[in-house]
Amino acid sequence: MRLRAKHLGLRLSTWAVLLFLHFPIFIVALYAFTTESSAFTFPPPGLTLEWFEVAWNNGDVRDALSLSLRVAATATVIALILGTMAAAAVWRRKFFGREAVSLFIVLPIALPGIVTGIALRSAISIGGIPFSFWTIVIGHATFAVAIAYNNVAARMRRTSPSLLEASADLGANGWQTFRHVLLPQIRPALVAGGMLAFALSFDEIIVTTFTAGNQQTLPIWMFTSLVRPRQRPMTNVVALFVVALTFIPIVLATRLTRNTEGTTG
Amino acid sequence: MVTETTSASRLDRISGALHRHPRLRLALLLGLPLLWLVGVYGGSLIALLSQSFFSLDDFSGTIDRSLTLETWGDLFTDSNISIAIRTASMAVAVTIGSAIIAFPIAYYAVRYAGPRLRAVFFVLILIPLWSSYLVRVYSWKLILAREGILFWFVDKLNLNFLLEAALSAPGIGGPSLSASALGQFIVFTYIWLPYMILPVHAALERVPKSYLEASADLGAKPLQTFRTVIWPLAIPGIAAGSIFTFSLTLGDYIIPTIIGDSSPFVGLAIYSYQGVAGNLPLAAAFTFFPIVIMGIYLYVARRAGAFEAL
């Protein structure tokens, strides 16, 4: 009896922690519908869909959304190509500096984001490079490579090299082996890594602040309107939208990689 | 044998050559990613270092690119050092807080949850780790506001006096939770918690069941088993998680901007030096604090076995 009561305590605290982790998102969702425009009163005095229309018709929000989507898509493609190449290079091979290479690839996500941000900002300043779409993409791709690499490398570790040998024995050339043997093997990792990289890039702010100049991605728009609160109800709607757009790829990615170790960071 | 230079045979010859020259293949595969990382990232880190040896011209507000130690001299003022100490103390508090919250859930998932439930837990912990960092910080502004849900709930429970007592405490209090160090602590802990749960979970998962049986067979009470077997084996996991909680707290400027009494943190100081003040050299030198504190921390954590538990 005492044992069961103990389990109960443990079980309750477990669910309490999970509630703690997820409940704030529901609050954001709730406030997107509140009729109140200047305070955060709970419970909301009334519910409305008005702010969705306002946000949708706002030019700044639309531009920011479009910029964020284009940056995330471009950074993801770059990250997948570079990450896969790097993972293939260190796979089943020992060479001088191998450890250094894998350390260097994950360094951008191991160091605090602000260090990466200021480092890129310093390079932009010293090189006299104008802020552009590409300065944002470069910042995002740099940490997204680490995510693609982690996912693909984890998958490759579980791919048997005898598959490639069999393919070569049957007369396939390197490209055919890649196309028909290796690619199908690593496809789930590519999809999962790509989706995670996209989601991270889409709501990245720490590095973006330093590489964007005057351009506004959706998170930067949100952050600016938080610091100078003018359009509170619209901010809530945008927040809900960001959650929705990052939630879907993340859930799909975790489902895809459920059996793969080493995908968390 | 007829040699036709069709595209297929050319591909064959290229892949044959690559097979015979593994070093060439390695160079081709690694060249582009390394060029990117060394060129862009490595180059930026060098730019960061050299930037810290430039200085800001006070009159024109432009960056003077002659090498000087002036900026480094500006770095070690009492107020900057107190910012670093303040940030490190918050990092310590957040690390302890999240370790305390993370342990029961990780323990429950490993010891008592079935495989299906464990998979559900895993996804439920991963989602907040990956999703909408900014939105999740923002959500606490809604929750902690004076007119928000937390005050409403506390009011319903008639526990106002407790909350008011906490808010009037010097050092951690403030006009409302969303403008207090206590609120900051809650939000930091909330945001970094998944980074602590996952490594602790991984460490506990590696404790063989036979150890616990052996401990019980040798007559240890459950509490004794916990203290002498489970806890020491969980420490590497906590150390691994603390690397994240520590590193992330040291570099964050979003949370102190949105929540709290606007007292400076390392991240916030870096952010405002490069932004409002336009003093990029001092901002660059300021990254010295998180890098050095993390360096020391990684050294200590490695001795606690953190790298084996990552």
Side-chain angles (χ1 to χ4, degrees):
Chain A
M1 204 56 211
R2 225 182 109 234
L3 202 69
R4 281 183 63 182
K6 244 179 174 167
H7 283 206
L8 187 69
L10 207 52
R11 204 156 69 204
L12 281 180
S13 58
T14 297
W15 288 108
V17 171
L18 288 175
L19 188 69
F20 174 62
L21 279 176
H22 290 271
F23 145 89
I25 298 299
F26 294 107
I27 294 296
V28 170
L30 175 68
Y31 276 94
F33 298 96
T34 186
T35 47
E36 198 180 37
S37 64
S38 58
F40 305 123
T41 311
F42 187 89
L47 299 176
T48 173
L49 283 171
E50 184 195 341
W51 309 119
F52 284 83
E53 198 192 333
V54 175
W56 182 249
N57 290 327
N58 183 291
D60 287 349
V61 172
R62 280 193 174 199
D63 291 347
L65 172 64
S66 144
L67 179 63
S68 280
L69 288 175
R70 281 181 293 131
V71 166
T74 318
T76 304
V77 171
I78 296 176
L80 283 179
I81 295 171
L82 295 182
T84 307
M85 287 174 85
V90 299
W91 180 39
R92 300 191 293 123
R93 218 167 288 150
K94 284 198 164 60
F95 54 88
F96 180 73
R98 184 183 187 276
E99 294 306 309
V101 167
S102 32
L103 178 73
F104 206 70
I105 290 170
V106 296
L107 198 60
I109 50 172
L111 280 178
I114 198 160
V115 175
T116 306
I118 285 285
L120 289 166
R121 177 77 183 76
S122 300
I124 287 169
S125 157
I126 289 179
I129 305 158
F131 291 110
S132 71
F133 172 76
W134 289 102
T135 51
I136 307 181
V137 167
I138 285 172
H140 286 197
T142 302
F143 64 79
V145 167
I147 291 158
Y149 168 83
N150 270 355
N151 270 274
V152 175
R155 183 78 198 183
M156 279 185 172
R157 272 199 295 274
R158 307 187 319 144
T159 302
S160 164
S162 55
L163 283 176
L164 306 190
E165 284 158 16
S167 169
D169 287 350
L170 293 168
N173 64 33
W175 168 250
Q176 285 167 325
T177 302
F178 173 76
R179 173 74 189 73
H180 299 290
V181 180
L182 189 57
L183 194 60
Q185 280 291 317
I186 63 171
R187 189 176 289 139
L190 284 176
V191 176
M195 284 192 288
L196 290 177
F198 186 91
L200 271 196
S201 163
F202 187 74
D203 79 356
E204 211 300 323
I205 178 146
I206 302 248
V207 176
T208 318
T209 310
F210 300 106
T211 57
N214 290 324
Q215 307 165 84
Q216 286 201 321
T217 62
L218 205 55
I220 291 189
W221 180 88
M222 232 189 104
F223 187 56
T224 322
S225 58
L226 286 180
V227 177
R228 280 169 283 144
R230 287 162 298 156
Q231 306 140 318
R232 225 169 235 175
M234 218 153 67
T235 313
N236 294 335
V237 172
V238 170
L240 181 58
F241 185 77
V242 173
V243 169
L245 211 90
T246 51
F247 184 78
I248 297 160
I250 290 158
V251 172
L252 289 176
T254 45
R255 284 186 73 99
L256 272 171
T257 57
R258 185 174 293 171
N259 303 316
T260 314
E261 87 289 9
T263 52
T264 51
Chain B
M1 202 170 92
V2 187
T3 45
E4 273 181 347
T5 43
T6 60
S7 66
S9 75
R10 198 177 301 141
L11 268 176
D12 281 348
R13 276 190 296 140
I14 293 173
S15 62
L18 287 180
H19 187 74
R20 283 188 300 276
H21 303 284
R23 290 198 162 270
L24 179 67
R25 184 174 51 180
L26 181 65
L28 282 178
L29 277 176
L30 212 49
L32 209 53
L34 268 193
L35 196 70
W36 178 283
L37 281 164
V38 174
V40 175
Y41 196 63
S44 300
L45 289 176
I46 292 168
L48 173 75
L49 187 68
S50 40
Q51 190 72 253
S52 70
F53 290 103
F54 298 164
S55 60
L56 188 77
D57 190 320
D58 287 334
F59 296 107
S60 61
T62 53
I63 293 166
D64 178 4
R65 291 199 183 166
S66 47
L67 299 183
T68 167
L69 282 172
E70 196 186 306
T71 305
W72 283 92
D74 291 344
L75 182 64
F76 296 102
T77 58
D78 285 350
S79 69
N80 284 350
I81 289 171
S82 79
I83 291 175
I85 291 172
R86 204 187 133 76
T87 312
S89 326
M90 179 60 94
V92 170
V94 169
T95 301
I96 294 171
S98 48
I100 291 172
I101 302 176
F103 199 86
I105 180 169
Y107 189 73
Y108 181 76
V110 169
R111 273 290 148 258
Y112 302 111
R116 278 182 69 94
L117 193 58
R118 213 187 288 190
V120 171
F121 280 172
F122 193 63
V123 173
L124 284 179
I125 291 161
L126 272 188
I127 289 170
L129 182 79
W130 287 104
S131 73
S132 339
Y133 155 77
L134 181 62
V135 176
R136 296 195 308 126
V137 176
Y138 171 60
S139 68
W140 283 91
K141 195 165 177 82
L142 304 173
I143 294 168
L144 297 177
R146 230 179 211 291
E147 68 274 19
I149 185 169
L150 192 72
F151 278 81
W152 173 82
F153 190 67
V154 168
D155 190 50
K156 289 276 178 233
L157 293 177
N158 286 322
L159 290 172
N160 280 347
F161 66 95
L162 270 181
L163 197 54
E164 295 303 334
L167 284 179
S168 57
I172 60 167
S176 85
L177 268 176
S178 63
S180 67
L182 185 61
Q184 271 176 341
F185 168 75
I186 295 173
V187 179
F188 270 122
T189 307
Y190 164 76
I191 296 286
W192 310 142
L193 185 58
Y195 290 93
M196 182 61 93
I197 297 178
L198 290 172
V200 172
H201 179 268
L204 288 178
E205 209 165 32
R206 276 193 288 248
V207 179
K209 251 203 161 96
S210 56
Y211 283 25
L212 307 184
E213 285 158 11
S215 171
D217 287 350
L218 293 168
K221 299 199 174 62
L223 205 65
Q224 254 174 323
T225 303
F226 180 83
R227 214 184 57 229
T228 56
V229 180
I230 299 172
W231 178 249
L233 290 171
I235 282 181
I238 293 176
S242 73
I243 292 175
F244 293 107
T245 55
F246 224 82
S247 155
L248 293 165
T249 309
L250 285 179
D252 193 89
Y253 62 88
I254 303 289
I255 296 172
T257 309
I258 297 179
I259 309 282
D261 48 5
S262 69
S263 52
F265 275 70
V266 168
L268 197 55
I270 297 174
Y271 174 67
S272 48
Y273 277 132
Q274 76 85 34
V276 186
N279 193 345
L280 193 52
L282 189 53
F286 225 104
T287 56
F288 169 83
F289 283 127
I291 292 175
V292 165
I293 297 174
M294 271 325 286
I296 297 170
Y297 198 77
L298 284 176
Y299 179 73
V300 175
R302 201 173 68 135
R303 306 200 70 180
F307 291 118
E308 283 77 52
L310 272 175

